[in-house]
Amino acid sequence: MPYHAPLKDLLFDIRHLAGIDDIARMPGLEEAGFDTARAVLEECARFNEEVVAPLNVSGDREPARWDQGQVQTSPGFREAYRQYTQGGWQGLQHPAEHGGQGLPKTIGAACAEMLNSANLSFALCPLLTDGAVEALLTAGSDELQATYLPRLVSGEWTGTMNLTEPQAGSDLALVRTRAEPQPDGSYRVFGTKIFITYGEHDLAANIVHLVLARVTGAPEGVKGISLFVVPKFLVNPDGTLGARNDVQCVSIEHKLGIKASPTAVLQYGEQGGAVGYLVGEENRGLEYMFIMMNAARYAVGVQGIAIAERAYQQAAAFARERVQSRPVDGSLPASAPIVHHPDVRRMLMTMRAVTEGCRALAVVVAGAYDRAHHHPDEQVRRQNQAFHDFLVPIVKGYSTEAGVEVASLGVQVHGGMGFIEETGAAQHYRDARILPIYEGTTAIQANDLVGRKTVRDGGQTARAIAAQVERTEGELARLDLPAARAMHMRLGAARQAFLEVVDFMVGRAKAEPNAAYAGSVTYLMLAGQLLVGWQLARSLLVAQALLAQGEAADFMKAKIGTAHFFADHVLSRAPGLRDSIVEGGDSVMALPPEAF
Amino acid sequence: MPYHAPLKDLLFDIRHLAGIDDIARMPGLEEAGFDTARAVLEECARFNEEVVAPLNVSGDREPARWDQGQVQTSPGFREAYRQYTQGGWQGLQHPAEHGGQGLPKTIGAACAEMLNSANLSFALCPLLTDGAVEALLTAGSDELQATYLPRLVSGEWTGTMNLTEPQAGSDLALVRTRAEPQPDGSYRVFGTKIFITYGEHDLAANIVHLVLARVTGAPEGVKGISLFVVPKFLVNPDGTLGARNDVQCVSIEHKLGIKASPTAVLQYGEQGGAVGYLVGEENRGLEYMFIMMNAARYAVGVQGIAIAERAYQQAAAFARERVQSRPVDGSLPASAPIVHHPDVRRMLMTMRAVTEGCRALAVVVAGAYDRAHHHPDEQVRRQNQAFHDFLVPIVKGYSTEAGVEVASLGVQVHGGMGFIEETGAAQHYRDARILPIYEGTTAIQANDLVGRKTVRDGGQTARAIAAQVERTEGELARLDLPAARAMHMRLGAARQAFLEVVDFMVGRAKAEPNAAYAGSVTYLMLAGQLLVGWQLARSLLVAQALLAQGEAADFMKAKIGTAHFFADHVLSRAPGLRDSIVEGGDSVMALPPEAF
């Protein structure tokens, strides 16, 4: 099943929701207007459709293989990666001074979606490299930056994030990997890291591991964690590769999905200690890692959208072709393609509305990132940063849960054929399942949303965003259109529900933490429904205006219909979520732990 | 991960919700009181825990294998099946006159749940044999019954259902397999059938295929379909096995899950025609198949409960062991087992409440089946038949969708470990995904619920069931207990929502079929929430009464807490579903088919 990049939709969001031409007026982004966006996206679409997407199924069937510490990636991956780096795709949104193209995240995120739709397993390698670049930009010394950044930005080398250990998953306080200071200022690293995506592979000449470890004598808990660069091959002063470092890939995992991406167990320091270099200051590792993780969490949210898009395309194509049963309204005299059946339509519309809506929200959040980093007015930068930070756990949590749901509906649309591996729908269902787990489970995102993002500022950011939603409702109220009326009603009810939950969280999180956090994931889902619905409402308003100007009628009508569907069938669930959170906090913890 | 049969819960439902001692007062079921139920269930639990469950993981890793038309089942399956038949388990609920034990379905369904929890792939073989028995009991001639029933009831031979063809999935009007009458009264069958569960295997000496086909000259569409017995080996007049029949297994499928159950493509008539025997009358095949399918649909609903139970047990065990992070309420000074975290608790409670609730409903529906078949009063039989028939698509549709959701939550509870195949949680997620598809997708169940079960009698059965729910609400109102108050409020709102949807369906299904059927699956989910909630409400009432008598305090308290959770966190969603159905019918079909 070929992949067709949803260019029209991405460009609609970039232009009309994120406001790319407005972003391109900010210092440093002058090249990044709509025409640039279109040119880059078109080129990116071609590359991903033609080079990366065809390796998705074959990579699943012939996963990465481990042999004596070496990992051989799936057939075709090396050549595709070579073309990826040659095309300059790795550096798209990284600073020009390190060899990147310095494009805004608004464009970069759209390109990332396409890469992930084309091949989730392949895309993980660049995703992790981006994270390493982000960490070094944040806290790396000039020397570390000079040594590593140009090679990472070009994709000549790749990056990894090493957090997890067998006993330390979500709980980084339990990290045991240790780093011993050496007289030359370097460290020797000892320990075992697991679940290291692309921790070993044959795509690039070197791998730059970013590793959380404790310096000898550091405090207990998360306050004693530092961040290190540990390259697979040491780098000579002239930039050439030196000795093999003391880090070994002892195995890779046998996984449910994303099988072409090697997930490594890495052993550091079996032969005297792996040479590592401190990033920033000792004991501030978690802080740096969080910056890197915020970028990675956003990127994983985009993966959710990407897999949803791919699953939707596959299901829609099947539904247009597969002939079964007469339409229930008698509109056709014989068995018809199943796209004519109302429940198939409901599934496809759910898939489409959720995918387009999550995409719209992600693009808007990317726009906020760009404004937070480039806008000349500090006040605007601060507002956008707060908006962005509030939204990251929602983009991550909501879009990835949506990815799983959409992929599951994709199987269902196929009926029995969906359960047969050769059809391809099942791969998306398997691949998608990791997304609400890695880079922080949905519960971790929800804790972040409740604690750091909602309660810490007393609900201020949350209410400011709700006020923006309310302004959109005002615009909807001026349209005499069934879709606008439905959206107006459902958006208002969802906003009200959201505000009540915000009050509940702010009021209870400290006094009754169990009752509050019992509703954390439901709150995240409610916030996701509201804010995704809000962006679809904005899309509806734009589409209606452009339709009146005679622009792209089919596309604009579909946009309006899709927003209408989301209002009726997703936003309508929001008040129920409120009830569950506000009135159901106690029953979650009613049974004692030993009852399970 | 060993399986522990939930005997306490099953026996609670059988005794207090289905009323086994009442059932045992009906003619023909005098042996089937509570003591029998307990003895049978305990024996069944032991067999499934010790013999069948240990083959679940190994069967997934070493699936059934096809070689030149032969299928070798997974290691250990032959021996386990031998013990299954030797224990008389196949005949549990089949008539004594054909060698069965004649136990009520109320007991049989509980045993089926355990078999399916132990090993979904293994359990499919007996499930299909049950279907074949049902079909022959319904419409088979004395001769067919005498030849086949004793061997099927004993499990010496197994049965299959052959409906699907490459072009005919849900749409049986498209069946092309043909049957040519022979002078001796038999037929020759020609055609290709796909997705035939246990269509070929090495567990039994013979396989009895029940095949839908068209007799030469039969009418087009479903009115021209007849049902045939086509044995793998012909049966000599003395009952010994004769020649190999002209049916070949040309391949088996490579599936997402239930890998140990061979899914065959069967080719009939490549060498002159497979010998088949007509079941009942020509052109009435679909009618007989529906009887068999009703039993099979109920059984697949039970599979949903079974996989949910297994996934729950695995997740609960992990959550009790896995230590990560301090509890948010500060109740423990150090990192604690994750069962202490509110969102883990929310997931476990969701899994548990949905599983127990679906089980309760399924057991009650089995009780209705027994009353419909054995009650001396015809009026009571009719009422129970109507209740049973209304509930079958709900048990099938709701419990299987629940199975997928619960299995997915099971992966999530495990975090990153859930994505690693060796952990075992992923297998449940893969296995569960077929359940909302086979024996009629959720949409097919929903069509049945709307058309045949709700609209045909003008909503009468639906409203009668709602009136029963209302009586339970009255009992709840008399209890001064937070759980009872929450349940009373949510059940009332859900019932109201259900009744409004019933009115909507009755009023619109004919005039605006698209708008009505667009809400069919959502209606099924709403009905499922209501009726599962109702049974949990009844459980709450029983548990509270027994608690007052000092009985099994921990179990009864957990029952009450679980019902409370379901009210707060599942029933609370019902009004949103109503809105979606009643007010959202148009937006489902708003986009033209070519927009997808």
Side-chain angles (χ1 to χ4, degrees):
Chain A
M1 174 74 210
Y3 164 64
H4 298 292
L7 281 177
K8 267 191 202 167
D9 202 51
L10 281 163
L11 288 169
F12 177 94
D13 293 345
I14 288 174
R15 181 174 220 170
H16 300 294
L17 303 183
I20 191 71
D21 285 329
D22 178 44
I23 288 171
R25 274 189 288 274
M26 297 187 294
L29 297 177
E30 293 85 352
E31 310 285 305
F34 180 71
D35 292 338
T36 301
R38 183 165 52 196
V40 171
L41 263 65
E42 282 173 356
E43 187 59 32
C44 183
R46 191 161 41 239
F47 172 70
N48 286 304
E49 288 171 357
E50 291 172 8
V51 177
V52 184
L55 302 176
N56 192 44
V57 168
S58 58
D60 186 59
R61 290 192 193 147
E62 299 179 72
R65 285 191 320 195
W66 181 94
D67 184 28
Q68 315 231 1
Q70 311 290 314
V71 171
Q72 194 181 342
T73 53
S74 303
F77 271 44
R78 281 173 62 95
E79 172 56 19
Y81 186 75
R82 194 189 62 73
Q83 291 186 42
Y84 179 81
T85 57
Q86 211 159 49
W89 295 110
Q90 185 72 55
L92 208 64
Q93 57 180 94
H94 297 307
E97 59 184 295
H98 298 293
Q101 300 189 38
L103 286 171
K105 190 173 182 106
T106 308
I107 294 175
C111 292
E113 185 199 305
M114 291 189 258
L115 182 66
N116 278 290
S117 279
N119 196 325
L120 214 55
S121 285
F122 181 86
L124 275 165
C125 188
L127 189 157
L128 269 299
T129 302
D130 281 343
V133 168
E134 201 86 30
L136 289 172
L137 283 172
T138 302
S141 64
D142 290 349
E143 200 187 329
L144 280 181
Q145 291 197 355
T147 307
Y148 293 99
L149 277 180
R151 257 66 173 267
L152 287 168
V153 168
S154 71
E156 189 183 338
W157 300 347
T158 71
T160 71
M161 283 167 70
N162 287 236
L163 287 74
T164 307
E165 299 178 8
Q167 78 295 346
S170 303
D171 187 1
L172 295 174
L174 302 178
V175 160
R176 282 190 207 138
T177 296
R178 64 195 170 82
E180 291 179 359
Q182 304 297 307
D184 68 351
S186 73
Y187 293 75
R188 292 294 163 107
V189 177
F190 303 86
T192 304
K193 292 289 183 178
I194 64 168
F195 295 165
I196 309 309
T197 301
Y198 279 95
E200 180 56 45
H201 62 79
D202 58 3
L203 299 181
N206 203 4
I207 303 175
V208 182
H209 302 296
L210 282 152
V211 182
L212 287 187
R214 289 178 193 287
V215 176
T216 320
E220 291 283 296
V222 293
K223 285 175 186 151
I225 292 176
S226 304
L227 181 63
F228 296 89
V229 162
V230 183
K232 175 179 170 185
F233 288 100
L234 299 177
V235 183
N236 297 322
D238 65 356
T240 58
L241 293 184
R244 185 73 165 76
N245 205 349
D246 182 10
V247 47
Q248 298 298 331
C249 173
V250 296
S251 65
I252 61 174
E253 306 290 352
H254 173 221
K255 306 192 300 292
L256 171 63
I258 54 165
K259 295 188 183 189
S261 79
T263 303
V265 176
L266 294 182
Q267 191 73 53
Y268 291 87
E270 286 287 278
Q271 281 130 31
V275 177
Y277 309 99
L278 183 68
V279 178
E281 298 172 23
E282 280 187 9
N283 301 333
R284 291 182 63 188
L286 205 70
E287 181 187 323
Y288 309 142
M289 193 55 97
F290 259 109
I291 291 166
M292 178 169 161
M293 275 205 306
N294 258 332
R297 285 174 174 185
Y298 175 87
V300 173
V302 170
Q303 292 194 303
I305 299 159
I307 195 82
E309 172 66 32
R310 193 82 195 260
Y312 168 73
Q313 289 190 14
Q314 179 139 11
F318 183 83
R320 286 193 309 263
E321 296 295 327
R322 171 73 170 171
V323 171
Q324 290 288 285
S325 303
R326 288 178 55 185
V328 69
D329 66 356
S331 59
L332 290 169
S335 294
I338 61 171
V339 71
H340 287 275
H341 301 319
D343 190 65
V344 172
R345 207 71 80 80
R346 177 192 63 86
M347 292 192 277
L348 291 176
M349 284 300 291
T350 304
M351 298 170 79
R352 177 185 184 123
V354 165
T355 305
E356 287 190 13
C358 287
R359 172 182 298 134
L361 186 62
V363 170
V364 165
V365 172
Y369 178 95
D370 291 327
R371 288 182 175 85
H373 284 78
H374 293 277
H375 201 281
D377 183 337
E378 202 216 322
Q379 166 93 353
V380 176
R381 285 203 302 277
R382 257 211 323 269
Q383 281 169 350
N384 276 283
Q385 189 69 47
F387 178 88
H388 169 269
D389 291 352
F390 188 86
L391 262 300
V392 165
I394 297 170
V395 167
K396 201 291 185 178
Y398 189 77
S399 308
T400 58
E401 296 283 352
V404 172
E405 190 202 337
V406 168
S408 184
L409 284 170
V411 173
Q412 190 72 17
V413 168
H414 285 80
M417 293 302 298
F419 202 65
I420 306 300
E421 282 288 1
E422 283 75 5
T423 306
Q427 186 188 343
H428 306 316
Y429 176 74
R430 290 188 286 101
D431 285 352
R433 196 63 196 78
I434 190 60
L435 304 179
I437 296 174
Y438 66 16
E439 296 300 337
T441 62
T442 306
I444 300 280
Q445 307 303 321
N447 281 356
D448 181 45
L449 180 66
V450 171
R452 274 182 290 271
K453 308 298 168 64
T454 302
V455 174
R456 186 180 282 175
D457 74 358
Q460 199 185 322
T461 304
R463 290 192 199 98
I465 295 171
Q468 288 185 268
V469 176
E470 197 174 2
R471 282 196 287 281
T472 301
E473 289 167 42
E475 295 175 52
L476 289 164
R478 286 194 286 275
L479 279 188
D480 183 24
L481 198 71
R485 278 195 297 275
M487 181 57 93
H488 179 262
M489 175 173 74
R490 299 293 172 202
L491 203 56
R495 176 174 52 79
Q496 202 52 49
F498 171 79
L499 284 170
E500 289 173 40
V501 172
V502 168
D503 288 347
F504 172 82
M505 289 297 171
V506 171
R508 303 288 182 85
K510 277 170 192 150
E512 297 172 69
N514 280 336
Y517 282 91
S520 59
V521 165
T522 311
Y523 169 43
L524 185 148
M525 298 310 286
L526 168 57
Q529 287 181 2
L530 173 69
L531 300 175
V532 163
W534 173 38
Q535 293 310 320
L536 287 176
R538 292 184 62 214
S539 305
L540 184 165
L541 291 164
V542 171
Q544 181 63 16
L546 293 174
L547 198 56
Q549 294 163 29
E551 206 174 301
D554 288 347
F555 179 85
M556 298 304 162
K557 281 184 193 158
K559 247 320 170 217
I560 295 167
T562 302
H564 190 173
F565 179 90
F566 192 90
D568 283 350
H569 298 279
V570 184
L571 278 178
S572 56
R573 317 291 164 94
L577 301 188
R578 184 217 79 97
D579 291 356
S580 176
I581 300 164
V582 174
E583 295 168 22
D586 293 335
S587 56
V588 172
M589 305 293 278
L591 271 57
E594 58 275 16
F596 294 91
Chain B
M1 173 74 212
Y3 164 65
H4 298 291
L7 281 176
K8 268 191 201 168
D9 202 51
L10 281 163
L11 288 168
F12 177 93
D13 293 346
I14 288 174
R15 181 174 220 169
H16 300 294
L17 303 183
I20 191 71
D21 285 329
D22 178 46
I23 288 170
R25 275 189 288 273
M26 297 186 296
L29 297 177
E30 293 84 353
E31 309 286 304
F34 180 70
D35 291 338
T36 301
R38 184 165 49 195
V40 172
L41 263 64
E42 282 172 356
E43 186 59 31
C44 183
R46 192 161 41 241
F47 172 70
N48 285 305
E49 289 171 356
E50 290 171 10
V51 178
V52 184
L55 302 176
N56 192 43
V57 168
S58 58
D60 185 60
R61 290 193 193 146
E62 298 180 72
R65 284 191 321 193
W66 181 93
D67 185 27
Q68 315 232 4
Q70 310 290 314
V71 170
Q72 194 182 341
T73 53
S74 303
F77 271 44
R78 280 174 62 96
E79 172 56 19
Y81 186 75
R82 194 189 61 73
Q83 292 186 44
Y84 179 81
T85 57
Q86 211 158 49
W89 295 110
Q90 186 72 55
L92 208 63
Q93 55 180 96
H94 296 307
E97 59 183 293
H98 298 293
Q101 301 189 39
L103 286 171
K105 192 175 181 103
T106 308
I107 294 175
C111 292
E113 186 200 305
M114 291 189 257
L115 182 66
N116 278 289
S117 279
N119 196 324
L120 213 54
S121 286
F122 181 86
L124 276 164
C125 188
L127 188 157
L128 269 298
T129 301
D130 281 343
V133 169
E134 201 85 31
L136 289 172
L137 283 172
T138 303
S141 64
D142 290 348
E143 199 187 330
L144 280 180
Q145 292 196 355
T147 308
Y148 293 100
L149 277 180
R151 258 65 174 266
L152 287 168
V153 168
S154 71
E156 188 183 338
W157 300 348
T158 72
T160 71
M161 283 167 70
N162 288 235
L163 288 74
T164 307
E165 300 178 8
Q167 78 295 345
S170 303
D171 187 0
L172 295 175
L174 302 178
V175 160
R176 282 190 207 138
T177 296
R178 62 196 170 81
E180 291 179 1
Q182 303 298 308
D184 68 351
S186 73
Y187 293 74
R188 293 293 162 108
V189 177
F190 303 86
T192 304
K193 293 287 183 178
I194 64 169
F195 295 166
I196 309 309
T197 301
Y198 279 95
E200 180 56 45
H201 62 78
D202 59 2
L203 300 181
N206 203 4
I207 304 175
V208 183
H209 302 295
L210 283 152
V211 183
L212 287 187
R214 289 178 193 287
V215 175
T216 320
E220 291 283 297
V222 294
K223 285 176 188 152
I225 293 176
S226 304
L227 181 62
F228 297 89
V229 162
V230 184
K232 176 178 168 185
F233 288 100
L234 299 176
V235 183
N236 296 322
D238 66 356
T240 58
L241 293 183
R244 184 73 165 75
N245 206 349
D246 183 11
V247 47
Q248 297 299 331
C249 173
V250 295
S251 65
I252 61 173
E253 306 290 352
H254 172 221
K255 307 193 298 294
L256 171 63
I258 55 165
K259 294 188 183 190
S261 79
T263 303
V265 176
L266 294 182
Q267 190 74 52
Y268 291 88
E270 287 285 279
Q271 281 131 31
V275 177
Y277 309 99
L278 183 67
V279 178
E281 297 172 24
E282 280 188 10
N283 300 333
R284 290 182 63 188
L286 205 69
E287 182 187 323
Y288 309 142
M289 193 55 97
F290 259 108
I291 291 165
M292 176 170 163
M293 274 205 307
N294 258 333
R297 284 173 174 186
Y298 175 87
V300 172
V302 171
Q303 292 195 303
I305 299 160
I307 195 83
E309 173 66 32
R310 192 83 195 258
Y312 168 74
Q313 289 190 13
Q314 177 139 11
F318 182 83
R320 286 192 310 262
E321 296 295 326
R322 172 73 170 171
V323 172
Q324 290 287 286
S325 304
R326 289 177 55 187
V328 71
D329 65 357
S331 59
L332 290 169
S335 293
I338 62 172
V339 71
H340 287 275
H341 301 319
D343 190 64
V344 171
R345 207 71 80 81
R346 177 191 64 85
M347 292 192 279
L348 291 177
M349 284 300 291
T350 304
M351 298 170 79
R352 177 185 184 123
V354 165
T355 305
E356 286 189 13
C358 286
R359 172 182 297 134
L361 186 62
V363 170
V364 165
V365 172
Y369 178 95
D370 291 327
R371 289 182 174 86
H373 285 76
H374 293 276
H375 201 282
D377 182 337
E378 201 216 320
Q379 167 94 353
V380 176
R381 286 203 303 277
R382 257 212 321 270
Q383 281 169 350
N384 276 282
Q385 189 69 49
F387 178 88
H388 170 269
D389 291 352
F390 188 86
L391 263 299
V392 164
I394 297 170
V395 167
K396 201 290 183 178
Y398 190 77
S399 308
T400 59
E401 295 283 351
V404 173
E405 190 201 337
V406 169
S408 184
L409 284 171
V411 173
Q412 190 71 18
V413 169
H414 285 81
M417 294 303 297
F419 202 65
I420 307 300
E421 283 288 0
E422 283 75 5
T423 307
Q427 186 188 343
H428 306 315
Y429 177 74
R430 289 187 287 100
D431 285 352
R433 196 62 194 79
I434 191 59
L435 304 179
I437 295 175
Y438 66 15
E439 295 301 335
T441 63
T442 306
I444 300 279
Q445 307 303 321
N447 282 354
D448 180 44
L449 180 66
V450 171
R452 274 183 290 270
K453 309 297 168 65
T454 303
V455 175
R456 186 180 282 175
D457 74 357
Q460 200 186 323
T461 304
R463 289 191 201 99
I465 295 171
Q468 289 184 266
V469 176
E470 198 175 0
R471 281 196 287 281
T472 302
E473 290 167 41
E475 296 176 52
L476 289 164
R478 286 194 285 275
L479 278 188
D480 182 25
L481 197 72
R485 278 196 295 275
M487 181 57 92
H488 179 261
M489 174 173 76
R490 300 291 172 203
L491 203 56
R495 177 176 50 80
Q496 202 50 50
F498 172 78
L499 284 170
E500 289 174 40
V501 172
V502 168
D503 288 347
F504 171 83
M505 290 296 172
V506 171
R508 303 288 183 84
K510 277 170 192 150
E512 297 172 69
N514 280 335
Y517 282 90
S520 59
V521 165
T522 311
Y523 168 44
L524 185 149
M525 299 309 288
L526 168 56
Q529 287 180 2
L530 173 68
L531 300 175
V532 164
W534 173 39
Q535 293 311 319
L536 288 175
R538 292 185 61 215
S539 306
L540 185 164
L541 290 163
V542 171
Q544 182 63 18
L546 294 174
L547 198 57
Q549 294 164 29
E551 205 174 300
D554 288 347
F555 179 85
M556 298 305 163
K557 280 184 194 159
K559 247 322 171 215
I560 294 167
T562 302
H564 190 172
F565 179 91
F566 192 89
D568 282 351
H569 297 279
V570 184
L571 277 177
S572 57
R573 316 293 163 92
L577 301 188
R578 184 217 79 98
D579 291 357
S580 176
I581 299 163
V582 174
E583 296 168 21
D586 293 335
S587 56
V588 172
M589 303 294 276
L591 271 58
E594 58 274 16
F596 294 92

